[in-house]
Amino acid sequence: MTTPFPFTAVVGQDDLRLALLLNAVSPQVGGVLVRGEKGTAKSTAVRALSALLPELDVVSGCRFSCTPGSPDPACPDGPHEPGAFESRSARMVELPVGASEDRLVGALDIERALAEGVKAFEPGLLADAHRGILYVDEVNLLHDHLVDLLLDAAAMGASYVEREGVSVRHAARFLLVGTMNPEEGELRPQLLDRFGLTVEVSASREPDQRVEVVRRRLAYDDDPAGFAARWADEEAAVRARIAAARKLLPSVHLGDGALRQIAATCAAFEVDGMRADIVMARTATALAAWAGRTDVLAEDVRQAALLALPHRRRRSPFDAPGLDEDKLDETLEEFGGPGEDGGDDDPDPGPDGGPGGQPAPDEGPQGDGDTAARPETGESGEPQAGPGAGEQSAVRAAEPFRTKVLNVPGIGQGAAGRRSRARTEQGRTTGARRPQGTLTKLHLSATVQAAAPHQRARGRSGPGLVVRRDDLRQATREGRESNLVLFVVDASGSMAARQRMSAVKGAVLSLLLDAYQRRDKVGLVTFRGSAAEVALPPTSSVDAAAARLESLPTGGRTPLAAGLLKAHDVLRVERLRDPARRPLVVVVTDGRATGGPEPVALAGRAARLFAADGTASVVVDCESGPVRLGLAGQLAGELGGTAVTLDELRADSIAGLVRDVQQGTSRRAA
């Protein structure tokens, strides 16, 4: 087994190390979510933590890590012999993003259960992680059905496995640690709230610190065991400090003053529910124990807020993470509390500012007023102005709204999500088939029907059913999949009226929010002037798409054909990368085409490429005014898709409601 990188050898990342150590002191804090760019020691620090955790006493031979003094009465390996126990290190179990449901919760041997009538249960990762660490790298990419199981286990402290009337339950209490790169998409709010603490990590910009990172990493790669031996004393010191803090934790006093500060802070930042208050209280108590104190000070409450609240105050994926530290300090000062006379006896409070408060240098535009996008210049070097003649600075998007659901027709087999119909492991049962490989979802009635005609030939003499492998039937289920939603946005001069472009951006932003909620990948192609460009390659990060949209300038001619051809090329590449993910093309335009020879005819030929491929498409008609040419509707016909106006795009629009009723009536008549 490879020697892990020592925890104490990690350079910098003070907030990350402190959050992990606080969970080691008090597992009830609820785990850590680590957000940050790739290559910032997220996984290294998490994997190194398990070596610092105290050893566990477990019942000998128990696959579910029962505590010797109080074993789980429902443990599948029970009842246990009293007094038989052994000591071992706490486990760190990794949950792969692509794991199956049975790998996570465990699996029953269906064949033995039917043929022999016995409960043959193979524990999953939740059983392995009990009383240890469950680590999920790229947790934001975890499939929804696994997220649901994690939420259930985290809420109840137990895992339930149900298979056609056979039920198994076992304890599953673990420290949940997840790492993620925000550029690849956000977490579901329910799972996000289950993480007690969150930290934002980034690579240091200090040359000396970066040199030290490289030096230590090279030394570790050359001789892992020797490098770990050089840090053994530091590791032992931290391990001893964790043990001492755990012993001191029950004696820490959380006074009414600190509780008032905690409640006032959560109320001031308008976090949902009461979990934030509880997590802050536990974190502040763990901070005091880590510092060797028995009283919670104001500085503990402040640091707890910086770790526990940033991910709970976000209302949408486009909100910047972090806290307003001035507002935090004002709230703590207003409601008083302990430790106002200094509180600098905490030897390890963590760096000032914690994980929140400061936006990243490359973050999207913030603050009031219009986004300041620099106008582009013409060939003469002078700024171009005027709608349809040159470039205009970007305008802010209108307020987003709830959109109608846009689906891809047919039934797919892509990644689990919430948009289009698909054959999935989760969902309603629609039929049965012979299993291909391991049986995972038994269709009981179909299995019985397959076995029933052969009972006399198999010599059945009792009430039991004689079942053989060939009789087993796998349930086929229908659920929802995620799609690739590719936005093709007209940014030409015909769209450049300020109020109109604001409405268009608001509509696209609304569709991006919908894509976020439905777990889609998104991409953005824009066209204006004389060419089209891929403003954002397909990604799971809808906030990156929103940032590109916000800074999008407008002006120039309308190269519609170039935009469609660029989008077609993007889809061609994505089909090679992910052939199971079906695309949905959303063209946002008024339908005009100018620039180049025969622009309208060329746009029509480009549109028919999508129809030939069977690509689902929707044209959002942005034409306004009393006189309408209907060009967007003609484009939708060439694409083989449908057209909706900006008003019809709203889920609560009267026009959309009337259209739904009319479509439903026509279908019933047919």
Side-chain angles (χ1 to χ4, degrees):
M1 181 176 178
T2 304
T3 304
F5 193 91
F7 186 86
T8 51
V10 174
V11 178
Q13 309 297 9
D14 295 334
D15 288 334
L16 170 57
R17 291 189 294 156
L18 179 60
L20 292 172
L21 289 170
L22 292 177
N23 276 274
V25 171
S26 177
Q28 289 186 317
V29 166
V32 186
L33 174 65
V34 188
R35 298 164 46 95
E37 59 198 24
K38 53 186 176 293
T40 49
K42 300 189 299 293
S43 300
T44 298
V46 174
R47 292 188 175 99
L49 177 67
S50 59
L52 300 178
L53 298 180
E55 288 194 339
L56 300 175
D57 290 336
V58 298
V59 173
S60 298
C62 178
R63 297 174 297 169
F64 302 88
S65 304
C66 280
T67 306
S70 55
D72 181 7
C75 177
D77 283 355
H80 298 298
E81 291 288 336
F85 71 94
E86 60 188 35
S87 295
R88 64 164 174 80
S89 301
R91 292 174 180 154
M92 194 201 73
V93 178
E94 293 195 41
L95 170 59
V97 169
S100 66
E101 178 180 334
D102 288 342
R103 183 72 185 98
L104 178 61
V105 300
L108 290 167
D109 189 330
I110 299 295
E111 296 181 53
R112 291 189 62 192
L114 285 174
E116 303 175 29
V118 298
K119 296 181 181 179
F121 180 68
E122 183 66 27
L125 296 178
L126 290 180
D128 293 341
H130 179 49
R131 301 177 66 195
I133 301 172
L134 182 63
Y135 171 50
V136 189
D137 192 16
E138 306 295 348
V139 64
N140 50 323
L141 304 182
L142 201 63
H143 290 172
D144 276 354
H145 68 284
L146 298 182
V147 172
D148 293 337
L149 294 170
L150 274 182
L151 289 172
D152 290 342
M156 297 182 293
S159 175
Y160 292 85
V161 183
E162 304 286 346
R163 289 292 187 276
E164 308 296 344
V166 183
S167 177
V168 173
R169 173 209 171 276
H170 65 82
R173 289 181 292 274
F174 46 81
L175 174 61
L176 181 61
V177 180
T179 57
M180 60 174 283
N181 185 345
E183 294 180 357
E184 297 172 342
E186 290 290 344
L187 279 178
R188 281 173 55 183
Q190 297 92 333
L191 181 58
L192 187 65
D193 191 49
R194 281 291 169 185
F195 285 97
L197 309 180
T198 184
V199 292
E200 299 278 337
V201 297
S202 60
S204 173
R205 298 297 183 258
E206 293 292 332
D208 291 342
Q209 195 172 71
R210 295 175 73 97
V211 166
E212 187 61 24
V213 170
V214 175
R215 181 182 290 119
R216 292 185 186 183
R217 186 69 211 190
L218 292 178
Y220 170 77
D221 291 341
D222 289 341
D223 183 9
F227 183 82
R230 292 195 293 272
W231 290 88
D233 292 343
E234 287 82 353
E235 293 281 287
V238 173
R239 192 178 298 110
R241 187 174 175 185
I242 291 174
R246 280 192 172 190
K247 185 176 180 180
L248 181 62
L249 187 64
S251 303
V252 175
H253 174 65
L254 182 65
D256 290 342
L259 281 173
R260 280 195 300 272
Q261 286 186 316
I262 290 170
T265 300
C266 292
F269 285 99
E270 300 179 349
V271 296
D272 295 331
M274 295 298 297
R275 184 173 286 118
D277 304 63
I278 297 171
V279 171
M280 271 190 67
R282 289 172 173 164
T283 304
T285 303
L287 279 162
W290 177 249
R293 289 186 270 100
T294 57
D295 289 315
V296 174
L297 304 181
E299 64 196 52
D300 299 324
V301 176
R302 185 183 193 278
Q303 184 65 53
L306 293 172
L307 293 172
L309 297 188
H311 61 303
R312 292 187 166 89
R313 58 163 293 276
R314 302 184 75 191
R315 293 295 183 266
S316 83
F318 309 137
D319 293 336
L323 295 181
D324 183 339
E325 295 191 42
D326 291 336
K327 181 178 179 180
L328 173 60
D329 292 334
E330 290 173 4
T331 303
L332 295 176
E333 183 177 356
E334 178 182 354
F335 285 86
E340 291 186 7
D341 56 345
D344 53 3
D345 54 344
D346 184 353
D348 190 7
D352 292 338
Q358 298 298 324
D362 57 348
E363 223 171 78
Q366 304 292 327
D368 298 328
D370 292 337
T371 303
R374 182 178 301 170
E376 295 186 17
T377 59
E379 294 181 358
S380 64
E382 295 294 327
Q384 300 176 351
E391 307 298 340
Q392 289 190 352
S393 62
V395 298
R396 293 183 67 88
E399 284 297 316
F401 52 84
R402 189 166 62 90
T403 67
K404 296 182 68 65
V405 180
L406 306 178
N407 293 324
V408 177
I411 301 179
Q413 295 180 329
R418 301 193 188 95
R419 183 171 296 277
S420 305
R421 294 173 57 196
R423 295 184 180 90
T424 62
E425 288 296 315
Q426 302 295 314
R428 62 186 181 89
T429 300
T430 59
R433 59 176 173 81
R434 291 181 181 272
Q436 299 173 350
T438 303
L439 179 68
T440 56
K441 299 289 184 182
L442 178 74
H443 196 295
L444 184 58
S445 61
T447 299
V448 172
Q449 289 175 4
H454 309 290
Q455 297 306 295
R456 180 176 297 179
R458 294 173 183 173
R460 192 187 86 177
S461 57
L465 188 70
V466 181
V467 179
R468 294 180 179 174
R469 172 71 186 178
D470 290 343
D471 302 326
L472 299 177
R473 294 295 182 268
Q474 173 86 23
T476 58
R477 301 195 174 197
E478 182 178 307
R480 293 282 170 178
E481 67 176 358
S482 64
N483 299 109
L484 166 60
V485 182
L486 182 61
F487 294 94
V488 186
V489 180
D490 184 350
S492 65
S494 65
M495 304 277 288
R498 190 175 189 84
Q499 184 176 0
R500 184 179 180 187
M501 197 61 198
S502 176
V504 169
K505 285 188 175 182
V508 178
L509 187 64
S510 303
L511 290 168
L512 283 171
L513 278 168
D514 182 69
Y516 162 72
Q517 294 165 352
R518 300 183 189 282
R519 312 289 287 179
D520 294 318
K521 291 181 69 175
V522 296
L524 179 62
V525 173
T526 63
F527 57 94
R528 58 189 173 88
S530 60
E533 66 172 344
V534 181
L536 183 73
T539 175
S540 297
S541 177
V542 295
D543 52 346
R548 302 293 174 87
L549 177 72
E550 190 73 18
S551 60
L552 177 67
T554 59
R557 293 184 177 274
T558 311
L560 177 58
L564 295 175
L565 291 174
K566 180 69 72 173
H568 189 268
D569 189 56
V570 169
L571 293 185
R572 179 184 60 80
V573 174
E574 284 302 307
R575 285 192 181 97
L576 297 176
R577 292 176 177 171
D578 190 357
R581 190 184 294 271
R582 297 188 295 163
L584 172 64
V585 176
V586 180
V587 185
V588 185
T589 182
D590 57 8
R592 288 180 173 83
T594 61
E598 299 183 344
V600 176
L602 185 59
R605 289 196 293 270
R608 287 190 287 274
L609 293 175
F610 292 88
D613 292 340
T615 303
S617 60
V618 175
V619 177
V620 179
D621 185 0
C622 302
E623 191 175 25
S624 60
V627 179
R628 296 174 182 255
L629 302 178
L631 299 177
Q634 296 176 21
L635 175 63
E638 298 279 6
L639 287 166
T642 59
V644 296
T645 65
L646 288 175
D647 288 337
E648 290 173 334
L649 192 60
R650 293 179 178 270
D652 54 354
S653 68
I654 295 177
L657 178 62
V658 171
R659 187 184 62 185
D660 286 348
V661 172
Q662 290 174 342
Q663 288 178 347
T665 303
S666 63
R667 282 195 295 268
R668 287 193 296 271

